[in-house]
């Protein structure tokens, strides 16, 4: 290809890319003032290298310990979970130390040299694996979200206007996990054909144990993880090994995994009878509601923030336990009209996806909402539809559309609709 023609092609590509974002660029440049580097502080030697990198002293970011709905910023000894600061994150991945935390009896201090994984029950070859043996097996790495079933529970019955998105939706995070496919381990122990359920049990003091149906999807996608974002699991997230169940309830992703037992029926543990069940509007209780449904939330602007009239960038995250996010729509007029948002690539299956849209606010009071649709056509419901189906006695699997109100001063507040 002649050089002059190559330059012409490159110039054309640059022009197309530049004009595609011209509207947003113009809005941003209009908001910026002309300046120079004359008053920028001079360069100076920096800090010495260290064993690990710290965040900038200008970045204040942390999780929030929480007890029950409405009891936030509690003493860590009284907390049952710690929420991810979604309003301060960018992209789709969650930093390892900010991944939400949920435990029933604290974080055990397990020696990987002594830890074991027992696989038994309806299998032909019961086996016990060391952590080193698991690490020596064929592995996969997959980026997926894990979400606590209690995510969103703050807005079941009423809305505290002073909540942030960290308060309302901070029990979901996305990491890259590395480990051994469940299917490979099942092959080693030679599971019997009649075994259709698996009991996964943790090594924490609470002895969390859940019955898991061995569907084709679960057998193909679940894995025993020992890695998190390129390093060993953190203790709060299951060190030395945990079960990862892409798209399913956070409590099925058993941390500190020590046992997998195979059988032909569920074990009906206290965790799936007394704990993780749903009292519905018709008075019946739903059991084994395992998959996390299609969801999304605007993270900026969101609760307790303040904005100014003119250009604003609306951004947030969407996710679905059914697969990839197909589209996200945003309403800036209280659901009167909807506009399709941009999705930041790559859009991965059962992982959070960042979305965004340019918006010129006219300074009048309004409400902003997002709704997501996944690749199977599942649409995130509005609150009225959701409550009509589930009632207000439940506590888990809240995925109704999140509404933020904006008053004439630009104050953003949490409201139900």
């Amino acid at each position: 290809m002649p050089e002059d023609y190559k330059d012409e092609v490159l110039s054309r590509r640059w022009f197309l890319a530049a004009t595609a974002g011209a509207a947003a660029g113009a809005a941003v440049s209009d908001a910026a003032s002309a300046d120079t580097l004359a008053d920028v502080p001079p360069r100076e030697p920096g800090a010495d290298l260290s064993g690990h990198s710290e965040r900038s002293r200008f970045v204040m970011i942390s999780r929030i310990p929480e007890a029950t709905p409405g009891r936030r910023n509690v003493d860590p000894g009284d907390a049952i979970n710690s929420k991810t600061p979604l309003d301060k994150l960018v992209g789709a991945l969650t930093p390892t130390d900010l991944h939400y935390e949920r435990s029933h009896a604290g974080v055990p201090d397990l020696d990987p040299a002594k830890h074991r994984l027992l696989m038994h029950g309806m299998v032909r070859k019961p086996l016990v694996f060391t952590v080193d043996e698991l690490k020596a097996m064929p592995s996969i790495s997959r980026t997926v979200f894990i979400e606590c079933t209690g995510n969103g529970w703050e807005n079941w019955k009423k809305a505290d206007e002073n909540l942030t998105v960290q308060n309302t939706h901070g029990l979901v995070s996305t990491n890259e996990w590395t480990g051994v496919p469940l299917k490979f381990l099942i092959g080693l122990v030679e599971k019997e054909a009649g075994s259709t359920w698996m009991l996964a049990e943790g090594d924490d003091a609470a002895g969390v144990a859940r019955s898991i149906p061995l569907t084709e999807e679960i057998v193909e996608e679940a894995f025993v993880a020992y890695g998190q974002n390129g390093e060993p699991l953190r203790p709060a997230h299951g060190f030395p090994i945990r079960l990862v169940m892409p798209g399913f309830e956070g409590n099925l992703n058993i941390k500190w995994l020590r046992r997998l037992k195979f059988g032909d029926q569920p074990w009906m543990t206290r965790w799936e009878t007394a704990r993780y069940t749903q009292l519905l509007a018709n008075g019946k209780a739903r059991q084994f509601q395992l998959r996390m449904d299609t969801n999304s939330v605007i993270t900026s602007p969101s609760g307790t923030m303040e904005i100014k009239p003119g250009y604003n960038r609306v951004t947030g995250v969407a996710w679905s336990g059914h697969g990839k996010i197909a589209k996200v729509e945003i309403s800036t007029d209280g659901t009167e009209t909807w506009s399709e948002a941009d999705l930041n690539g790559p859009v991965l299956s059962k992982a959070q996806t960042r979305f965004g849209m340019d918006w010129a606010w006219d300074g009048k009071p309004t409400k902003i909402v997002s709704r997501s649709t996944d690749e199977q056509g599942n649409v995130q419901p509005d609150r009225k539809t959701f409550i009509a189906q589930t009632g207000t006695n439940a506590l888990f699997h809240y995925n109704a559309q999140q509404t933020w109100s904006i008053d004439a001063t630009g104050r953003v507040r949490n409201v139900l609709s």
Side-chain angles (χ1 to χ4, degrees):
M1 182 184 295
E3 285 299 321
D4 55 347
Y5 180 74
K6 191 182 300 183
D7 291 342
E8 180 182 343
V9 171
L10 291 175
S11 297
R12 186 183 304 124
R13 288 176 180 168
W14 177 89
F15 174 78
L16 291 174
T19 54
V28 173
S29 62
D30 286 345
S33 59
D35 209 339
T36 71
L37 296 181
D39 297 325
V40 173
R43 295 186 179 95
E44 58 182 26
D48 295 335
L49 299 183
S50 62
H52 61 277
S53 300
E54 301 289 346
R55 291 189 175 90
S56 165
R57 63 187 176 90
F58 299 103
V59 176
M60 305 298 291
I61 185 169
S62 64
R63 297 183 308 199
I64 295 177
E66 177 190 84
T68 53
R71 291 187 60 211
R72 295 174 291 278
N73 296 306
V74 298
D75 182 277
D78 297 326
I80 64 172
N81 58 53
S82 192
K83 293 185 170 181
T84 296
L86 295 178
D87 52 327
K88 295 182 173 64
L89 300 185
V90 297
L93 286 178
T94 309
T96 305
D97 64 330
L98 296 176
H99 190 291
Y100 88 87
E101 181 182 346
R102 172 72 171 104
S103 64
H104 293 271
V107 178
D109 182 20
L110 302 179
D111 183 347
K114 298 178 180 179
H115 192 76
R116 299 291 185 269
L117 173 61
L118 166 64
M119 297 184 66
H120 66 138
M122 292 180 63
V123 299
R124 294 186 178 88
K125 294 181 179 180
L127 293 171
V128 177
F129 299 108
T130 67
V131 175
D132 283 342
E133 286 171 340
L134 292 170
K135 289 183 176 179
M137 296 177 185
S139 65
I140 62 169
S141 290
R142 184 169 175 187
T143 299
V144 295
F145 76 84
I146 295 180
E147 181 179 17
C148 177
T149 57
N151 202 28
W153 63 8
E154 296 280 7
N155 284 345
W156 268 107
K157 296 182 179 181
K158 60 182 180 179
D160 181 341
E161 68 170 14
N162 296 312
L163 296 187
T164 68
V165 70
Q166 182 175 11
N167 299 140
T168 61
H169 288 77
L171 291 177
V172 60
S173 302
T174 294
N175 276 187
E176 180 193 74
W177 307 92
T178 299
V180 185
L182 176 63
K183 186 177 183 179
F184 180 81
L185 293 171
I186 286 176
L188 293 181
V189 298
E190 298 183 10
K191 179 182 75 67
E192 295 178 8
S195 174
T196 55
W197 286 82
M198 176 179 74
L199 178 73
E201 180 185 74
D203 203 17
D204 56 330
V208 177
R210 289 299 310 268
S211 301
I212 299 171
L214 293 174
T215 64
E216 180 180 355
E217 176 187 10
I218 287 174
V219 171
E220 289 291 334
E221 296 194 3
F223 56 102
V224 175
Y226 49 77
Q228 178 181 13
N229 285 344
E231 64 174 337
L233 295 173
R234 298 288 177 94
H237 304 300
F239 181 84
I241 56 173
R242 75 174 299 166
L243 186 63
V244 174
M245 297 273 298
F248 291 89
E249 290 183 335
N251 61 84
L252 290 181
N253 294 253
I254 298 294
K255 295 186 284 187
W256 316 295
L257 184 67
R258 74 169 188 174
R259 187 161 71 107
L260 294 174
K261 184 176 182 179
F262 297 86
D264 57 6
Q265 59 187 332
W267 278 259
M268 297 299 178
T269 71
R270 63 182 289 255
W271 305 100
E272 53 219 23
T273 54
R275 297 301 296 269
Y276 291 102
T277 58
Q278 292 276 76
L279 183 59
L280 302 178
N282 60 9
K284 295 183 178 181
R286 176 182 294 167
Q287 193 176 22
F288 296 113
Q289 182 183 359
L290 305 182
R291 191 185 301 275
M292 301 308 294
D293 285 315
T294 310
N295 212 332
S296 73
V297 64
I298 294 172
T299 58
S300 180
S302 60
T304 76
M305 293 183 180
E306 294 186 7
I307 64 172
K308 296 180 180 179
Y311 173 78
N312 287 273
R313 179 70 177 174
V314 181
T315 185
V317 285
W319 62 98
S320 174
H322 297 276
K324 293 182 179 180
I325 290 296
K327 69 175 179 179
V328 176
E329 298 164 285
I330 295 175
S331 174
T332 58
D333 55 13
T335 73
E336 290 294 325
T337 61
W338 295 87
S339 299
E340 190 165 342
D342 301 321
L343 301 182
N344 290 14
V347 177
L348 303 177
S349 179
K350 301 180 181 180
Q352 286 177 296
T353 297
R354 173 69 56 175
F355 63 84
M357 185 185 79
D358 298 321
W359 175 44
W361 180 44
D362 60 9
K364 298 178 181 178
T366 191
K367 295 177 181 179
I368 58 175
V369 191
S370 67
R371 69 180 178 195
S372 57
T373 303
D374 65 33
E375 61 183 342
Q376 294 190 26
N378 299 295
V379 182
Q380 181 183 5
D382 60 74
R383 177 179 167 76
K384 182 178 180 180
T385 301
F386 179 85
I387 294 299
Q389 294 175 344
T390 63
T392 57
N393 292 319
L395 189 63
F396 305 122
H397 290 268
Y398 185 90
N399 71 315
Q401 296 166 18
Q402 169 67 42
T403 302
W404 304 112
S405 71
I406 303 174
D407 65 20
T409 69
R411 293 178 357 130
V412 186
R413 293 295 181 264
N414 174 48
V415 294
L416 292 183
S417 60

